[in-house]
């Protein structure tokens, strides 16, 4: 086995007996070959060295990212045999602080997972980090950041599903459709809007999409956008919220006396949105199952670090449609 792994017998002994003192690369090779050779004592081996993984998410005020944080913590306990320690950080509102955080990760951690907005600055900072440690994007992609894998949904498909659902809900005569995005700098949201618009144009030409408005994931701003649009356009028949703001929009519909007559479709089945479904204030929610995403992301990182066998490739995770009957 020492020949196969390219290390000395003493190194194999130290790894298999959890004695430490072995570099991460050599440890990875020994564990991989132990599993390939079917050594019983190594199959469920807990590596001696704890690898430190940094995770950078959007602010926890966003319910989806709060749920992701919860799922990362739960998964780290369930997958403790991998001996990966997860440290969760939230994207600073100050861009300079975010850049400093990303830059510091390369020297302090063994791997990085991010769910961030897309910008030239962020991509450049992540490229530098990816030269030293594995990098995975989760839930929303940044294609040009040097990442080794993306784990998350096909957001164009998710947007197309939202468009098809809303088109079916709207009456045959059509009408205007209000679209509220959180932040189009998020790759996933931009792609959702693209997919949504393509389906509405192709299949429901009787519907007219109003100019897309961004709320910056601010519930109060989403509420103001919806209230103003409903005042200006009495023929709005559908509203699509691509990120945060569904509750605020539902309240705007209540205020305008349009609840139940204007169809509302959004994403992410949070506790709040589940209740809005049950109360018939949202018509459909397209969910990407953050618990599953998180577990796949951790497994992918473990493959990149040699803690698991397998191909650490990008993984498109499934989406699920929720309506009142399966809320």
């Amino acid at each position: 086995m020492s020949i196969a792994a390219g290390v000395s017998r003493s190194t194999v002994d130290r790894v298999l007996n959890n004695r430490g003192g072995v570099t991460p690369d050599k440890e990875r090779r020994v564990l991989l070959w132990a599993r390939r050779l079917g050594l019983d004592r190594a199959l469920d081996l807990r590596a001696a060295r704890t690898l430190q993984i940094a995770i950078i998410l959007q602010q926890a005020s966003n319910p989806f990212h709060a749920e992701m944080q919860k799922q990362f913590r739960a998964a780290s306990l369930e997958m403790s045999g991998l001996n990966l320690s997860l440290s969760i950080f939230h994207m600073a509102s100050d861009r300079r602080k975010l850049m400093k955080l990303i830059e510091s990760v390369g020297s302090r951690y063994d791997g990085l997972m991010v769910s961030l907005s897309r910008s030239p600055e962020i991509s450049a900072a992540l490229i530098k980090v990816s030269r030293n440690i594995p990098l995975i994007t989760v839930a929303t992609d940044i294609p040009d950041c040097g990442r080794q894998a993306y784990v998350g949904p096909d957001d164009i498909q998710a947007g197309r599903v939202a468009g098809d659902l809303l088109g079916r809900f709207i009456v045959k005569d059509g009408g205007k459709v209000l679209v509220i995005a959180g932040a189009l700098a998020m790759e996933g949201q931009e792609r959702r809007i693209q997919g949504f618009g393509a389906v509405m144009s192709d299949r429901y030409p009787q519907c007219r999409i109003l100019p897309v408005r961004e709320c910056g994931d601010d519930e109060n701003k989403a509420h103001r956008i919806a209230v103003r649009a409903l005042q200006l356009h009495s023929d709005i028949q559908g509203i699509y919220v691509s990120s945060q703001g569904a509750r605020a929009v539902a309240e705007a519909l209540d205020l305008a006396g349009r609840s139940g007559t204007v169809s509302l479709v959004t994403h992410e089945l949070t506790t709040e949105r589940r209740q809005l479904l049950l109360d018939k204030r949202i018509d459909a929610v397209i969910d990407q199952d953050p618990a599953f995403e998180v577990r796949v992301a951790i497994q992918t990182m473990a493959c990149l670090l040699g803690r698991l066998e397998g191909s650490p490739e990008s993984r498109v995770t499934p989406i699920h449609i929720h309506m009142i009957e399966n809320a």
Side-chain angles (χ1 to χ4, degrees):
M1 176 177 164
S2 63
I3 295 174
V7 299
S8 67
R9 291 184 179 181
S10 61
T11 297
V12 172
D13 177 71
R14 284 197 297 273
V15 173
L16 296 186
N17 290 287
N18 287 329
R19 293 192 178 121
V22 178
T23 65
D25 180 62
K26 289 181 179 179
E27 179 191 70
R28 177 185 61 80
R29 282 184 276 153
V30 170
L31 292 179
L32 285 174
W33 277 103
R35 295 186 182 101
R36 288 173 183 172
L37 294 172
L39 299 184
D40 292 342
R41 67 187 301 181
L43 292 178
D44 297 315
L45 186 65
R46 178 182 172 89
R49 180 173 179 264
T50 300
L51 297 179
Q52 304 293 328
I53 311 300
I55 301 163
I56 307 178
L57 305 173
Q58 296 288 308
Q59 294 291 334
S61 56
N62 183 309
F64 175 72
H65 288 274
E67 180 64 21
M68 283 191 71
Q69 174 180 287
K70 174 183 172 183
Q71 293 302 331
F72 268 117
R73 287 175 174 165
S76 66
L77 295 175
E78 294 171 12
M79 305 170 78
S80 60
L82 297 173
N83 208 4
L84 303 177
S85 176
L86 308 182
S87 298
I88 300 173
F89 302 92
H90 288 283
M91 179 177 173
S93 55
D94 186 325
R95 186 56 61 92
R96 289 175 297 179
K97 290 182 179 179
L98 174 61
M99 294 301 104
K100 287 182 179 179
L101 171 61
I102 294 173
E103 290 168 5
S104 70
V105 163
S107 59
R108 296 165 50 202
Y109 292 88
D110 300 291
L112 173 63
M113 292 188 272
V114 301
S115 184
L116 295 173
S117 58
R118 182 194 65 242
S119 77
E121 290 176 295
I122 290 176
S123 292
L126 291 174
I127 286 171
K128 289 181 181 178
V129 172
S130 69
R131 292 169 183 159
N132 300 315
I133 60 175
L135 168 64
I136 296 175
T137 53
V138 185
T140 185
D141 198 11
I142 308 177
D144 58 349
C145 71
R147 48 91 167 148
Q148 281 75 32
Y150 162 63
V151 176
D154 178 337
D155 282 298
I156 286 184
Q157 180 191 56
R160 289 182 65 87
V161 169
D164 194 45
L165 285 170
L166 194 58
R168 290 171 184 267
F169 293 150
I170 293 175
V171 294
K172 291 182 180 180
D173 292 337
K176 293 177 182 175
V177 175
L178 173 64
V179 177
I180 302 177
L184 293 177
M186 296 292 287
E187 177 83 4
Q189 289 192 46
E190 183 181 47
R191 289 169 67 83
R192 285 175 181 176
I193 299 297
Q194 289 174 2
F196 179 86
V199 163
M200 294 296 287
S201 175
D202 291 345
R203 296 182 190 161
Y204 306 101
Q206 68 271 40
C207 296
R208 177 190 163 197
I209 299 178
L210 297 172
V212 177
R213 300 293 305 277
E214 291 183 77
C215 70
D217 281 341
D218 182 326
E219 290 275 348
N220 291 329
K221 186 172 182 181
H223 184 267
R224 292 195 298 271
I225 290 171
V227 167
R228 182 61 174 161
L230 289 165
Q231 289 172 344
L232 293 174
H233 306 280
S234 60
D235 53 347
I236 286 177
Q237 296 297 323
I239 301 178
Y240 172 46
V241 179
S242 73
S243 181
Q244 196 170 347
R247 175 187 56 78
V249 171
E251 290 175 353
L253 287 170
D254 291 341
L255 186 65
R258 301 292 307 278
S259 184
T261 63
V262 175
S263 297
L264 174 56
V265 173
T266 189
H267 295 265
E268 323 312 354
L269 189 67
T270 62
T271 300
E272 178 181 78
R273 293 181 185 188
R274 187 187 301 276
Q275 189 58 54
L276 289 170
L277 271 177
L278 293 171
D279 293 341
K280 300 181 181 179
R281 298 172 71 197
I282 289 181
D283 293 272
V285 174
I286 298 100
D287 188 58
Q288 58 182 292
D289 194 351
F292 180 72
E293 281 180 342
V294 162
R295 281 154 182 76
V296 172
I298 293 175
Q299 290 168 356
T300 303
M301 180 60 73
C303 289
L304 285 167
L305 293 169
R307 291 287 164 91
L308 285 177
E309 277 200 273
S311 180
E313 299 175 346
S314 293
R315 174 82 175 271
V316 175
T317 54
I319 57 173
H320 307 279
I321 300 171
H322 293 269
M323 299 172 72
I324 189 171
E325 295 299 333
N326 65 333

